Amino acid sequence: MTPVTTEEEKTTAPAGSARRAVVGRLSWGLADQAASSMSNFAVGVYVARSLGPTAFGVFSLAWVTYGVVLGASRGLATDPLVVRFSAVPEASWRAAVARSSGAALGLGAAVGAVCLLVGLALGGSVGPAFACLGVVLPGLLLQDAWRFAFFAAGAGKKAFLNDLVWGVALVPAMVVAAHVGSVAAFVLAWGGSAAVAAGYGSLQSGIRPRLARARGWLREQRDLGYRYLVENSSLSGAGQLRAYGLGAIAGVGAVGAVRGAELLQGPFLALLMGLSLVTVAEAARVLRRAPDRLGRFCLLLGGGQAVAALLWGAALLLVPDGLGELVLGDVWHSASELIVPATLSVAGAGLGTGAAAGLRALGAARRSLRAQLFASVCYAGGGLGGAAVAGTVGSAWGVAAATVGSSAVWWLHLRAGRREHHVNSIPEVRTS
């Protein structure tokens, strides 16, 4: 295991080497998310081309459900780990990772059992997909927990290698799924290959998840964990509500169109999500070393992502229909109509993530929860309201307006959180 550098060592390091260390950690975050997003992109494209819009919509419902559970796992298990166990002695990190990974694995097993039962009860075209999702959830959540654990330790290279193993295992699994030709087979292939990477993560770290210590972890981190649980679940839950509502209003094919538009944003989303893996830890380091620089760090982070999103969206508008059909098949025509609002949504989200990273670093869980709840309500309301007025396109524009507006709320909360932190950090002066 790569030794974890203590905060004292960092503060005594030369400024140039400190900057190089930051760039190195950010680079591994981007590389890791590139590997993860390329795998997800390949899965989405393969399923879209193999099964068509309607079956792809069923697969997308299972994918969105996984996103809700993943958000809960991160809130309870890995977000507190990153906030409190980045740049700590290795012994503390290892003990925390054993408990946090046990919490992620336990949550996957519990929710997976529920998904399995619900899927068996539903039947039809949707039921088998949810039943198979229940089977693979433990491996999916454990694999994600290893990624965050490695980044908390500043060992992004190990997270990259873990996602690379997932991608390699995914290739033969997807070939087998294509021969079967069902949504359930693709869900099993996707989640089963993640289980392979989850096992490799345990070998990389030399740590075994401690299921028996999961309850203790949840109890110790409850001041952050439960707020982050609500925060993450509200975000992913709003996405799930929008997907289910859109399917009810405009049909399952509309869900597939939205997912197709998200796939077109895939390379940029890789950038956004890759940075999110390390930005909270980096913001926490900036806060400890130079609190007055936190605002600038967050502004550069969020503004840079917003500008990059707009540039990527402009490039997508130049893609010819022939190339688009080659990538997404029949899904391209409906997805291409959503490029502009989807781009604005991603740009707004990128701008907001800069402020969100700052709030997490400050440990201002109450403020970040308020901002996220507001954003989630706007997201669901905009997506469903737009769908009721103008179908799939209306839903996309409603989400775009909600996301851009919510980013302003994130920044207002960051400004207030920084002011509160400054006041609380001023030592009390006794006058008598």
Side-chain angles (χ1 to χ4, degrees):
M1 176 66 208
T2 303
V4 180
T5 306
T6 65
E7 211 46 48
E8 289 77 14
E9 291 171 329
K10 285 186 170 102
T11 56
T12 58
S17 62
R19 283 193 294 269
R20 285 193 296 272
V22 172
V23 172
R25 288 190 294 267
L26 291 174
S27 298
W28 279 119
L30 293 176
D32 169 72
Q33 191 57 48
S36 176
S37 294
M38 286 303 295
S39 296
N40 291 339
F41 180 76
V43 170
V45 168
Y46 205 59
V47 175
R49 290 182 58 84
S50 300
L51 301 180
T54 301
F56 184 57
V58 174
F59 181 84
S60 298
L61 289 177
W63 188 288
V64 169
T65 303
Y66 156 70
V68 174
V69 183
L70 181 64
S73 176
R74 288 179 176 177
L76 291 172
T78 54
D79 283 345
L81 176 77
V82 172
V83 170
R84 288 181 166 157
F85 294 91
S86 294
V88 299
E90 184 177 359
S92 298
W93 175 85
R94 293 179 66 85
V97 169
R99 290 175 289 158
S100 66
S101 60
L105 183 60
L107 180 66
V111 180
V114 174
C115 287
L116 177 61
L117 293 176
V118 170
L120 293 176
L122 282 177
S125 59
V126 177
F130 275 81
C132 292
L133 176 64
V135 172
V136 300
L137 263 178
L140 284 164
L141 297 191
L142 181 58
Q143 191 274 339
D144 187 73
W146 291 130
R147 296 172 68 206
F148 278 79
F150 291 140
F151 278 111
K157 181 178 180 180
K158 292 189 175 183
F160 169 74
L161 290 175
N162 192 276
D163 269 324
L164 200 61
V165 167
W166 185 2
V168 171
L170 192 60
V171 174
M174 294 300 286
V175 171
V176 173
H179 283 294
V180 176
S182 68
V183 176
F186 280 107
V187 172
L188 285 176
W190 163 57
S193 55
V196 174
Y200 177 60
S202 188
L203 293 176
Q204 284 179 292
S205 63
I207 299 172
R208 181 168 56 88
R210 300 290 297 274
L211 274 170
R213 302 293 299 278
R215 182 176 297 180
W217 173 262
L218 298 178
R219 184 172 58 252
E220 293 165 11
Q221 309 301 325
R222 63 182 178 272
D223 59 325
L224 293 182
Y226 292 133
R227 287 193 175 98
Y228 289 158
L229 168 65
V230 177
E231 184 179 327
N232 292 352
S233 297
S234 67
L235 174 62
S236 52
Q240 189 176 31
L241 179 61
R242 181 218 181 179
Y244 288 167
L246 182 60
I249 295 170
V252 177
V255 181
V258 170
R259 176 60 185 156
E262 292 173 351
L263 285 173
L264 293 175
Q265 300 287 339
F268 175 75
L269 288 175
L271 170 66
L272 191 153
M273 296 177 67
L275 288 173
S276 71
L277 288 170
V278 293
T279 49
V280 175
E282 291 305 320
R285 291 182 174 97
V286 170
L287 181 64
R288 293 187 184 110
R289 290 195 304 264
D292 58 311
R293 297 181 182 176
L294 180 64
R296 181 184 178 188
F297 173 83
C298 295
L299 182 60
L300 289 174
L301 174 66
Q305 290 180 96
V307 170
L310 294 175
L311 292 175
W312 178 256
L316 287 176
L317 292 174
L318 302 177
V319 174
D321 287 339
L323 180 58
E325 292 171 359
L326 180 65
V327 175
L328 292 181
D330 294 338
V331 178
W332 162 255
H333 296 288
S334 55
S336 62
E337 297 178 353
L338 310 180
I339 289 176
V340 174
T343 298
L344 292 176
S345 296
V346 175
L351 185 61
T353 56
L359 283 172
R360 288 287 176 92
L362 289 167
R366 187 171 298 176
R367 287 200 169 275
S368 64
L369 175 59
R370 291 173 186 169
Q372 187 58 71
L373 288 175
F374 177 84
S376 299
V377 170
C378 290
Y379 181 94
L384 295 179
V389 173
T392 309
V393 175
S395 179
W397 277 106
V399 166
T403 306
V404 172
S406 298
S407 67
V409 175
W410 277 105
W411 281 99
L412 289 174
H413 275 286
L414 177 61
R415 185 176 67 175
R418 290 179 62 212
R419 186 164 55 244
E420 291 169 357
H421 181 269
H422 175 70
V423 171
N424 294 335
S425 63
I426 296 176
E428 181 183 358
V429 179
R430 297 189 179 271
T431 58
S432 60

